[in-house]
Amino acid sequence: MATHYRACHLCEAICGLEITVEDGKVTGIRGDRADVLSHGHICPKGVALKDLHEDPERLRHPVKRVGDDFVEISWDEAFETVGTRLAEIARVHGRDAIGAYLGNPTVHSVGMLTGGGPLLRLLKTKSVYSATSVDQLPHQLMAYWMYGHQNYLFIPDIDRTDFLLVFGGNPMASNGSLMTVPDFPGRLAALKARGGRMVVVDPRRTETARVADDHHFIRPGTDALVLLAMIHVLFAEGLADAGRLAVFTAGLDAVRAAVEPFTPEFAEDGSGLPAATIRRLARDLAAAPRAALYGRMGTSTQAFGTLCQWAIQLLNLLTGNLDTEGGTLLSHPAIEAGMAPRAAGGFARWTSRVRALPEFAGSLPVAALAEEIETGGPGQIRALLTVAGNPVSSTPNGRRLDAAFERLEFMVSVDFFVNETTRHADIILPPCSPLERGHYDLAFLTLAVRNVARWSDPLFEKPEGALHDWEVLAGIAEAFAAATGQDAPHMMSPEMLVDMGLQVGPYDLDLGRLRAAPHGVDLGPLRPSLPERLLTASGRIEAAPAGCLADLPRLMAAAGERHALVLIGRRHVRSNNSWMNNSQRLIKGPIRNRLQMHPADMELRQIRSGQTVAITSRIGEVRIEVEASEDVMPGVVCLPHGWGQGTRDGVRLSVAKGAGGVSFNDLSDEALLDAASGNAVLNGMPVEVRAVA
Ligand SMILES: Nc1nc2c(c(=O)[nH]1)N[C@H]1C(S)=C(S)[C@@H](COP(=O)(O)OP(=O)(O)OC[C@H]3O[C@@H](n4cnc5c(=O)[nH]c(N)nc54)[C@H](O)[C@@H]3O)O[C@H]1N2
Ligand SMILES: Nc1nc2c(c(=O)[nH]1)N[C@H]1C(S)=C(S)[C@@H](COP(=O)(O)OP(=O)(O)OC[C@H]3O[C@@H](n4cnc5c(=O)[nH]c(N)nc54)[C@H](O)[C@@H]3O)O[C@H]1N2
Ligand code: SF4
Ligand SMILES: [Mo]
């Protein structure tokens, strides 16, 4: 029996695992107690890595579509076909006719991160989309506008704070996001043990709200009113003080003027949160010696995501909690590439053709993908490359995208499952199992609540003929280069790049030193770094970005809007967006894909718990069982996303029995956007619900 230590790559918590192996088989997976970051924490998904590795439906060879079937082909034939087909379409219709979509697991694979850039640069298309615009785009846009770099994402210093205020995040289920925080429950217990508090503001009494000291309901999509009112209170009561950062901050007078109309009473009217509570939250944030305001999915995938992220940064700044120990801080990662000036990002350097939505850091909002495939004219997307993504399930108006993909002249997917999206591909290129590759968390080590570094060697050799993610991307690049008469980019292995990155990094590290420390190397707590690291043109914090000020009238206009019912999402610790549903271990137990509705709203519509209801939005209708729940506030219904497998016709998809349900994104509306950033609205969408026989 051998014991192997490696990081779990499934979610942002990146827990250290201890995996036992016998005769080439995984016999046990548990949390690695010696891990410098996670100290033994694990969730059910970590154990399910075994299921992923052994899944007989995980593709192990490239396949091509013949009718409704997929048949195995050689890598040579696969790459050759992809290269010539993409080149042909680019030659006839131009480079922008090749679309690309990069899904969330891309950032959980070092090889996809190192290989993706060179491939996209070679393709030279402006038609690039990613999961960013159904997720954290407003956070990154704000980091870019205020601090000059898209990856300057301030992390709550949970291990030292006294007051954690959470808007729209549910780390008890999600294990944390834009805050790599393995063992959130343990760290929260420690916070409370040292006399600290956590308060949650959320339209649902979530798993996190249950363990908080206080929970307040808020009407979905109205956080910006509340957060701006909190800033209003700080100014009105003489509590606004940026401390040592004041002299390095521009635009505070404009902020003071901008928040003037957003009184707590005005915010109460829109949000349902009492003015007295809004005042108290602002005062508490200012009074606590060390406090951190944290806002996540619920404050970004909504109609005012950008204004929310702006106000959150300002509140941390004006209460002296930005860039301070126990407040919010930037990391100092061992590999600095993601924070290098050349990765700073960019905004609106081009726009989408049909709706003129702005580019961010090289990608367009994915809510525009279907129309860019459907609408004729120069730049129409005719071929598509998807990498580790499932936009049919995960992005707005999945049905429309599902139909649009059928119109493509050519589609290739890099994925190891046939799912709602890849079933449309002409060719699927599967990388080897994640346990067969080395691992370094390029992205999440820069978001961790502590500076650490950790390398995991592959647990198993990849089988003869299998390719790593980066080798698949390199194969596409070589074939496309050959077919277009260009030089192929020279792609190095992630091992070499990690080794080089460590050596030029700020610590005395290299791959050898990390290999010798399988539980990771601790590099100390987070520490302040402003103003030195600011990359804005002015060299200051830009407190009043023009794009935020310009969006305020839209917020004002929407403040009076009321809908009888709005829909929000829900994650469960056994879920992982739209995949991992092929693991019986994760699927088992009570059915989770149900609509939750407040009893008062049910009574009003004569709906009984357990009944089937029809949920309708502007774009569609789904039918699902409803359950009464006082955990959602009246006027709010709640449905998990990532389900609906097996309900589409045609190709047999890789999903376990019982994983049916409906897809949330058959309801979400591609026309509803956070206008400032182009991010999709996945929370707070108006719907109607009625009982069906
Ligand atoms: N309604 C609603 N919609 C949402 C959300 C929500 O809260 N509500 N959340 C949004 C968020 S935060 C996100 S990040 C997106 C995610 O959206 P996507 O990234 O588009 O979708 P996923 O469901 O994560 O699908 C990931 C795909 O990657 C494949 N995959 C997994 N690992 C690997 C790998 O190592 N290599 C390769 N090549 N492929 C791999 C899987 O088989 C799967 O097909 O969904 C968004 N959609
Ligand atoms: N188990 C599991 N873990 C995951 C994932 C998964 O699918 N399953 N996905 C991973 C990914 S890709 C991500 S991005 C992270 C996301 O991590 P989180 O942001 O922690 O995830 P959510 O559970 O979507 O939390 C969003 C919260 O916002 C609330 N909310 C909805 N609308 C509003 C609103 O208008 N205002 C406020 N204040 N709150 C609102 C919801 O009720 C919910 O509690 O999770 C990651 N971890
Ligand atoms: S919390 Fe996330 S990283 Fe940790 S074991 Fe679960 S899925 Fe893996
Ligand atoms: Mo995400």
Side-chain angles (χ1 to χ4, degrees):
M1 194 182 77
T3 304
H4 177 89
Y5 298 95
R6 75 180 277 117
C8 175
H9 72 287
L10 288 176
C11 89
E12 298 181 44
I14 62 173
C15 301
L17 304 178
E18 183 184 293
I19 306 183
T20 48
V21 180
E22 227 165 326
D23 297 330
K25 286 209 122 198
V26 172
T27 53
I29 300 183
R30 53 192 73 81
D32 174 10
R33 284 210 229 161
D35 188 88
V36 293
L37 187 63
S38 63
H39 311 294
H41 183 261
I42 189 170
C43 88
K45 289 190 295 301
V47 184
L49 277 176
K50 176 180 159 72
D51 305 348
L52 174 61
H53 181 70
E54 294 172 357
D55 192 334
E57 290 188 9
R58 182 169 58 79
L59 297 175
R60 284 154 172 86
H61 305 276
V63 292
K64 77 171 171 196
R65 189 146 65 107
V66 182
D68 279 348
D69 287 326
F70 282 103
V71 297
E72 283 181 17
I73 53 172
S74 69
W75 283 107
D76 283 346
E77 181 187 343
F79 287 137
E80 156 84 28
T81 311
V82 173
T84 44
R85 293 291 280 124
L86 292 181
E88 209 172 270
I89 288 166
R91 186 174 50 76
V92 180
H93 302 287
R95 291 296 180 102
D96 296 341
I98 305 177
Y101 174 83
L102 307 181
N104 164 276
T106 310
V107 280
H108 294 266
S109 157
V110 58
M112 277 193 281
L113 280 176
T114 60
L119 173 60
L120 288 180
R121 280 193 290 280
L122 176 76
L123 291 177
K124 227 169 142 183
T125 168
K126 291 201 180 74
S127 307
V128 179
Y129 300 81
S130 82
T132 290
S133 51
V134 281
D135 188 350
Q136 80 289 355
L137 172 52
H139 295 253
Q140 291 194 272
L141 179 60
M142 205 45 53
Y144 177 68
W145 277 350
M146 289 183 73
Y147 313 119
H149 198 296
Q150 59 165 334
N151 292 330
Y152 282 178
L153 300 167
F154 281 82
I155 306 154
D157 191 7
I158 186 171
D159 292 340
R160 289 180 293 185
T161 198
D162 303 309
F163 180 40
L164 182 62
L165 178 54
V166 180
F167 272 67
N170 186 12
M172 287 297 283
S174 70
N175 286 301
S177 181
L178 302 187
M179 167 170 68
T180 282
V181 59
D183 194 16
F184 180 82
R187 291 176 200 265
L188 177 65
L191 185 158
K192 289 185 177 179
R194 59 177 185 268
R197 289 194 308 136
M198 177 173 74
V199 174
V200 170
V201 179
D202 199 297
R204 184 169 78 92
R205 190 177 299 109
T206 60
E207 295 76 359
T208 307
R210 284 179 187 284
V211 295
D213 295 274
D214 245 323
H215 164 241
H216 306 286
F217 282 130
I218 184 168
R219 218 171 269 148
T222 65
D223 302 73
L225 295 173
V226 169
L227 294 162
L228 292 172
M230 287 169 67
I231 302 174
H232 176 107
V233 171
L234 294 181
F235 281 114
E237 301 188 359
L239 298 171
D241 184 1
R244 76 178 168 88
L245 291 177
V247 293
F248 305 109
T249 303
L252 283 176
D253 289 340
V255 170
R256 175 195 274 266
V259 300
E260 194 49 47
F262 294 94
T263 63
E265 284 69 22
F266 181 69
E268 168 175 342
D269 189 49
S271 69
L273 202 64
T277 305
I278 296 172
R279 289 203 166 82
R280 196 173 69 240
L281 289 176
R283 289 172 193 153
D284 285 358
L285 211 52
R290 302 178 299 181
L293 170 58
Y294 167 69
R296 203 37 207 108
M297 279 292 284
T299 57
S300 58
T301 52
Q302 56 137 292
F304 298 97
T306 296
L307 290 179
C308 286
Q309 300 316 320
W310 177 47
I312 287 167
Q313 296 309 308
L314 287 174
L315 281 163
N316 281 321
L317 172 69
L318 293 171
T319 56
N321 289 305
L322 185 80
D323 200 43
T324 55
E325 289 176 11
T328 62
L329 289 155
L330 294 179
S331 67
H332 287 78
I335 298 181
E336 293 175 307
M339 286 183 168
R342 73 185 142 72
F347 181 66
R349 290 166 297 183
W350 62 88
T351 57
S352 68
R353 257 178 346 133
V354 180
R355 248 192 290 172
L357 299 178
E359 155 273 355
F360 177 75
S363 300
L364 291 164
V366 68
L369 179 53
E371 71 211 25
E372 294 294 332
I373 296 172
E374 294 162 357
T375 312
Q380 177 183 14
I381 296 175
R382 292 161 186 272
L384 185 69
L385 162 71
T386 73
V387 179
N390 189 7
V392 170
S393 292
S394 297
T395 73
N397 204 344
R399 283 182 206 272
R400 181 170 172 188
L401 216 43
D402 194 52
F405 287 168
E406 275 305 298
R407 300 168 57 156
L408 290 165
E409 289 172 30
F410 182 72
M411 177 166 163
V412 51
S413 293
V414 181
D415 204 304
F416 36 54
F417 284 113
V418 179
N419 63 24
E420 297 75 6
T421 296
T422 63
R423 75 186 183 104
H424 295 288
D426 296 283
I427 294 208
I428 306 178
L429 305 170
C432 61
S433 155
L435 296 183
E436 293 160 354
R437 67 185 185 217
H439 183 72
Y440 185 92
D441 274 294
L442 274 182
F444 300 106
L445 288 171
T446 72
L447 294 168
V449 296
R450 205 175 160 87
N451 294 312
V452 300
R454 183 178 51 194
W455 167 263
S456 312
D457 271 316
L459 173 56
F460 299 115
E461 282 289 308
K462 69 179 159 73
E464 181 81 26
L467 297 180
H468 290 292
D469 283 302
W470 73 275
E471 292 173 313
V472 176
L473 300 183
I476 298 173
E478 277 162 29
F480 183 76
T484 49
Q486 295 172 275
D487 288 333
H490 174 62
M491 291 205 201
M492 277 191 278
S493 74
E495 275 90 335
M496 285 177 72
L497 289 165
V498 166
D499 192 27
M500 283 162 52
L502 290 168
Q503 290 185 40
V504 300
Y507 306 96
D508 182 23
L509 287 174
D510 58 24
L511 194 58
R513 281 205 54 197
L514 290 196
R515 280 208 161 102
H519 312 291
V521 174
D522 183 39
L523 303 169
L526 302 183
R527 51 186 199 274
S529 51
L530 298 189
E532 291 76 17
R533 278 163 105 184
L534 288 172
L535 284 168
T536 49
S538 63
R540 295 175 171 207
I541 297 171
E542 291 295 345
C548 295
L549 299 179
D551 204 24
L552 288 170
R554 189 175 65 97
L555 176 65
M556 266 295 173
E561 269 174 31
R562 296 288 179 277
H563 302 284
L565 280 181
V566 294
L567 181 65
I568 63 167
R570 173 167 95 241
R571 282 178 161 78
H572 188 280
V573 75
R574 288 173 184 272
S575 78
N576 197 18
N577 292 318
S578 76
W579 69 293
M580 292 300 286
N581 286 351
N582 221 16
S583 164
Q584 206 58 55
R585 196 191 304 262
L586 295 181
I587 287 295
K588 70 178 183 206
I591 294 171
R592 303 195 298 268
N593 40 4
R594 281 196 180 138
L595 184 75
Q596 292 180 343
M597 192 172 195
H598 193 274
D601 287 321
M602 294 175 69
E603 209 182 300
L604 214 61
R605 293 167 182 77
Q606 295 180 316
I607 296 171
R608 280 170 290 108
S609 205
Q611 224 178 343
T612 298
V613 293
I615 317 171
T616 49
S617 71
R618 185 189 70 90
I619 62 133
E621 172 177 312
V622 303
R623 293 179 175 210
I624 186 127
E625 215 174 280
V626 64
E627 83 193 8
S629 171
E630 299 199 352
D631 287 340
V632 288
M633 68 189 284
V636 174
V637 283
C638 177
L639 184 74
H641 79 285
W643 297 92
Q645 288 92 350
T647 59
R648 291 174 204 279
D649 47 20
V651 184
R652 155 114 178 79
L653 308 180
S654 308
V655 282
K657 278 205 187 66
V662 295
S663 176
F664 187 116
N665 291 313
D666 286 349
L667 292 169
S668 56
D669 186 342
E670 74 278 25
L672 292 182
L673 299 175
D674 165 38
S677 67
N679 204 54
V681 173
L682 304 170
N683 286 293
M685 187 181 37
V687 291
E688 283 165 24
V689 176
R690 65 171 203 281
V692 291

